[in-house]
């Protein structure tokens, strides 16, 4: 079953096809994480704003996302947005972004609240407005603390992007399943795609570690 | 007659059911140093925090430099630029160097030119004796050094009034002196100061007026010699004998 020579053969042979899928997976991951980080930041600020209506909006959003399976969300986005003429790629990207956003919001909220409240008071006492103090004083410190859990969420986001294969997006996982069923050699292709994800995650981890080191300079 | 910098009338502040300030009246004239003393929980820190609106009063009046400040209609950011504050726990911006800490508000709030702000910041750091620490991050400083940077940071906004909230309470005993010396120098230059402290030596030497607070009220006030040598109220006597 585990014929290494065979797996290597297929790996080399299928390489161009997987590269196409890899490219889509990477695009999907990066786009959805960037948008998700933006969404997360906004909802984190809603949650700590102390304004009831904003609290509510953030809580409902997070409850909906956390309370339903990602695959359901992706299908809802896919069928909903297809009506508006939006492509499968962007439906998946928005779906994943909204999903990541809810978790990232909780990460940011925690890290913002972990910054000593004296930092905000010091900024305010110097005449700095709330928004400016948040942007210049609190968020840079919060972001540094958010980085480890954020990196973790990014890795989850990368792997979750495989669910986009269900809406006919030919990213990594979808290539593995189509090739597998075409050749009746599913196991080989699954092992190969697993390797691709593993390498991506390792590279990602390395990147986050580097960023963490760079940001922790001076402390 | 000196100009009146702060006037507080019937100030009230509660946290939930807890009445922390009950009808406090206080006035501070230009260049005066007023020291607030009292047991913890007597409301002195809250009073100080009300003066620059880190706490919002529940009643009464706060008049800063002749203008009554209503937190609802006034731009508090502008008021706070006139009223500097130094905190017990320094609250230096941890991700910024000493120099950046001092420059932050002048550049971001007053839109001062960066070069100009840096020049001023270096002068201030020199004044508090820390010009050699300009490029260091706060984590590398001693408590006394941190507090002196915090004083320089507050002064960078060129405030008319400085508030000190137990500025030496978090310091190791051997570091208290350097911070008090900086404050004394500031007082001699004519800065209007309101200081919450347990340093009675500082109060005796520097204060124009000492205010004893108890149970959310101003219990007794007077010159240092009046209050320390001839306290009229039994409470004041008890408090003084408990700490001296």
């Amino acid at each position: 079953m585990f014929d290494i020579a065979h797996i290597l053969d297929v790996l080399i042979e299928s390489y161009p096809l997987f590269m196409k899928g890899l490219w889509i997976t990477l695009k999907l991951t990066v786009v959805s994480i960037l948008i998700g980080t933006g969404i997360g930041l906004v909802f984190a600020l809603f949650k700590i704003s102390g304004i009831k209506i904003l609290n509510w909006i953030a809580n409902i959003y997070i409850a909906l996302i956390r309370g339903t399976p990602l695959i359901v969300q992706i299908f809802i986005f896919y069928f909903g947005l297809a009506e508006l003429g939006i492509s499968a790629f962007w439906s998946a990207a928005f779906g994943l972004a909204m999903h990541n956003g809810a978790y990232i919001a909780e990460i940011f909220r925690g890290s913002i609240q972990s910054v000593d409240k004296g930092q905000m008071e010091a900024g305010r006492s110097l005449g700095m407005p709330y928004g400016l103090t948040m942007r210049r004083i609190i968020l840079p410190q919060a972001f540094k603390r958010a980085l480890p859990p954020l990196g973790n969420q990014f890795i989850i986001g990368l792997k979750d992007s495989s669910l986009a294969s269900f809406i006919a997006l030919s990213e990594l996982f979808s290539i593995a399943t189509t090739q597998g069923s075409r050749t009746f050699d599913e196991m080989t292709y699954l092992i190969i795609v697993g390797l691709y994800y593993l390498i991506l995650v390792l590279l990602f981890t390395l990147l986050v570690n580097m960023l963490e080191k760079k940001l922790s300079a001076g402390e | 007659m000196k100009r009146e910098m702060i006037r507080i009338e019937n100030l009230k502040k509660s946290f939930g059911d807890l009445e922390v300030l009950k009808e406090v009246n206080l006035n501070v004239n230009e260049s005066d140093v007023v020291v607030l003393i009292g047991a913890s929980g007597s409301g002195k820190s809250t009073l100080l925090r009300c003066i620059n609106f880190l706490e919002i009063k529940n009643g009464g009046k706060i008049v800063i430099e002749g203008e009554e400040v209503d937190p609802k209609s006034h731009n508090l950011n502008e008021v706070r630029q006139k009223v500097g504050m130094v905190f017990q726990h320094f609250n230096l911006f941890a991700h910024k160097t000493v120099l950046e800490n001092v420059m932050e508000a002048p550049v971001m709030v007053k839109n001062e030119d960066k070069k100009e702000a840096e020049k001023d910041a270096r002068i201030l750091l020199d004044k508090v004796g820390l010009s050699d620490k300009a490029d260091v991050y706060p984590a590398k400083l001693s408590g006394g050094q941190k507090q002196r940077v915090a004083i320089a940071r507050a002064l960078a906004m060129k405030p008319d009034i400085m508030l000190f909230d137990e500025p030496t309470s978090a310091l190791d005993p051997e570091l208290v002196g350097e911070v008090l010396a900086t404050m004394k120098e500031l007082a001699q230059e004519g800065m209007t100061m309101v200081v919450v402290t347990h340093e009675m030596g500082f109060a005796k030497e520097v204060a124009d007026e000492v205010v004893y607070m108890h149970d959310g009220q101003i219990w007794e006030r007077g010159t240092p010699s009046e209050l320390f040598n001839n306290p009229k109220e039994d409470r004041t006597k008890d408090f003084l004998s408990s700490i001296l």
Side-chain angles (χ1 to χ4, degrees):
Chain A
M1 190 170 165
F2 285 109
D3 182 348
I4 302 225
H6 173 66
I7 292 176
L8 276 176
D9 279 347
V10 177
L11 180 71
I12 292 162
E13 183 194 325
S14 65
Y15 164 78
L17 215 56
F18 270 113
M19 276 300 131
K20 278 185 198 155
L22 181 77
W23 176 236
I24 293 176
T25 290
L26 273 181
K27 266 202 303 190
L28 192 60
T29 306
V30 170
V31 167
S32 64
I33 280 171
L34 284 181
I35 301 174
T37 304
I39 294 172
L41 184 57
V42 169
F43 282 102
L45 292 174
F46 276 16
K47 277 204 92 163
I48 58 158
S49 66
I51 300 169
K52 266 212 178 96
I53 178 100
L54 297 182
N55 277 338
W56 263 81
I57 293 171
N59 285 336
I60 290 172
Y61 163 66
I62 291 168
L64 282 179
I65 295 288
R66 284 213 289 212
T68 55
L70 173 56
I71 189 68
V72 174
Q73 294 161 21
I74 286 176
F75 271 116
I76 287 176
F77 268 84
Y78 178 54
F79 288 117
L81 293 178
E83 303 247 315
L84 304 171
I86 287 169
S87 68
F89 175 81
W90 283 104
S91 305
F94 282 131
L96 286 166
M98 290 295 279
H99 183 81
N100 283 322
Y103 290 93
I104 293 173
E106 286 294 336
I107 291 171
F108 276 142
R109 182 193 56 76
S111 70
I112 290 169
Q113 285 177 338
S114 80
V115 175
D116 178 42
K117 76 178 191 349
Q119 297 281 305
M120 176 58 86
E121 289 191 344
R124 300 311 306 276
S125 78
L126 291 164
M128 294 170 73
Y130 177 85
L132 182 69
T133 314
M134 191 48 94
R135 183 164 63 80
R136 297 276 308 175
I137 307 301
I138 309 299
L139 290 182
Q141 298 184 56
F143 185 72
K144 202 184 290 180
R145 289 177 200 193
L147 212 52
L150 220 46
N152 204 30
Q153 183 59 38
F154 290 175
I155 286 165
I156 294 170
L158 169 69
K159 293 190 292 181
D160 279 353
S161 72
S162 59
L163 288 173
S165 62
F166 284 99
I167 57 170
L169 202 61
S170 42
E171 43 65 72
L172 271 180
F173 183 66
S174 131
I175 287 176
T177 49
T178 43
Q179 289 305 308
S181 50
R182 192 178 61 82
T183 59
F184 300 105
D185 196 5
E186 282 96 347
M187 190 50 103
T188 306
Y189 280 98
L190 285 173
I191 289 168
I192 289 172
V193 82
L195 278 174
Y196 276 104
Y197 279 113
L198 189 62
I199 289 165
L200 278 180
V201 167
L202 289 176
L203 288 176
F204 231 68
T205 311
L206 223 64
L207 202 75
V208 172
N209 285 345
M210 268 163 56
L211 202 62
E212 239 174 276
K213 262 209 189 102
K214 209 176 148 214
L215 280 178
S216 69
E219 278 205 357
Chain B
M1 181 76 189
K2 285 198 279 188
R3 186 156 75 107
E4 190 180 62
M5 301 298 274
I6 304 171
R7 189 169 81 244
I8 289 167
E9 291 177 14
N10 303 324
L11 185 71
K12 284 189 202 170
K13 175 69 190 174
S14 305
F15 296 113
D17 290 336
L18 185 68
E19 221 179 354
V20 183
L21 295 176
K22 305 168 183 168
E23 309 252 329
V24 170
N25 291 283
L26 182 74
N27 57 304
V28 181
N29 289 333
E30 189 165 23
S31 298
D32 276 2
V33 176
V34 173
V35 170
L36 303 178
I37 61 172
S40 61
S42 60
K44 45 196 203 311
S45 282
T46 305
L47 174 58
L48 207 64
R49 291 164 63 83
C50 281
I51 298 176
N52 79 345
F53 302 92
L54 285 177
E55 305 291 352
I56 301 299
K57 64 187 167 73
N58 297 120
K61 254 193 197 179
I62 299 175
V63 183
I64 306 283
E65 298 183 44
E67 198 179 349
E68 186 184 345
V69 180
D70 175 7
K72 286 194 189 77
S73 59
H74 255 80
N75 183 347
L76 296 180
N77 297 319
E78 278 171 19
V79 179
R80 291 193 186 110
Q81 290 177 38
K82 292 191 265 185
V83 186
M85 177 120 177
V86 172
F87 299 89
Q88 180 178 357
H89 295 289
F90 331 121
N91 299 348
L92 292 181
F93 303 138
H95 62 308
K96 292 184 178 292
T97 64
V98 165
L99 187 67
E100 288 166 347
N101 262 275
V102 181
M103 286 169 60
E104 178 69 15
V107 172
M108 297 310 294
V109 179
K110 286 189 172 170
N111 292 315
E112 271 181 35
D113 176 61
K114 263 199 175 168
K115 284 229 171 68
E116 204 59 32
E118 184 180 335
K119 211 178 83 191
D120 289 349
R122 288 193 188 276
I123 292 170
L124 283 170
L125 287 177
D126 192 44
K127 185 184 155 90
V128 299
L130 290 170
S131 42
D132 56 326
K133 299 288 183 191
D135 300 317
V136 169
Y137 283 90
K140 296 266 157 63
L141 298 177
S142 73
Q145 291 170 330
K146 282 182 194 170
Q147 198 57 298
R148 285 186 283 151
V149 173
I151 293 172
R153 178 177 67 176
L155 291 176
M157 289 302 277
K158 303 188 177 72
D160 301 327
I161 302 163
M162 284 281 282
L163 309 175
F164 293 84
D165 189 5
E166 303 203 24
T168 58
S169 296
L171 297 178
D172 291 336
E174 75 271 21
L175 302 176
V176 169
E178 59 188 75
V179 172
L180 292 181
T182 305
M183 290 167 63
K184 200 173 138 189
E185 198 183 320
L186 204 57
Q188 282 161 355
E189 288 169 13
M191 177 62 78
T192 307
M193 292 164 60
V194 183
V195 183
V196 172
T197 188
H198 297 291
E199 294 295 329
M200 296 305 146
F202 176 83
K204 277 182 193 161
E205 196 181 350
V206 183
D208 295 293
E209 185 176 31
V210 180
V211 173
Y212 171 64
M213 287 189 71
H214 176 75
D215 195 23
Q217 297 161 72
I218 290 180
W219 210 261
E220 188 170 354
R221 56 197 292 183
T223 64
S225 68
E226 282 168 2
L227 203 100
F228 288 121
N229 302 335
N230 291 306
K232 293 187 187 68
E233 303 283 339
D234 289 340
R235 282 256 182 236
T236 319
K237 286 175 198 160
D238 289 350
F239 175 74
L240 290 173
S241 65
S242 72
I243 53 160
L244 291 178

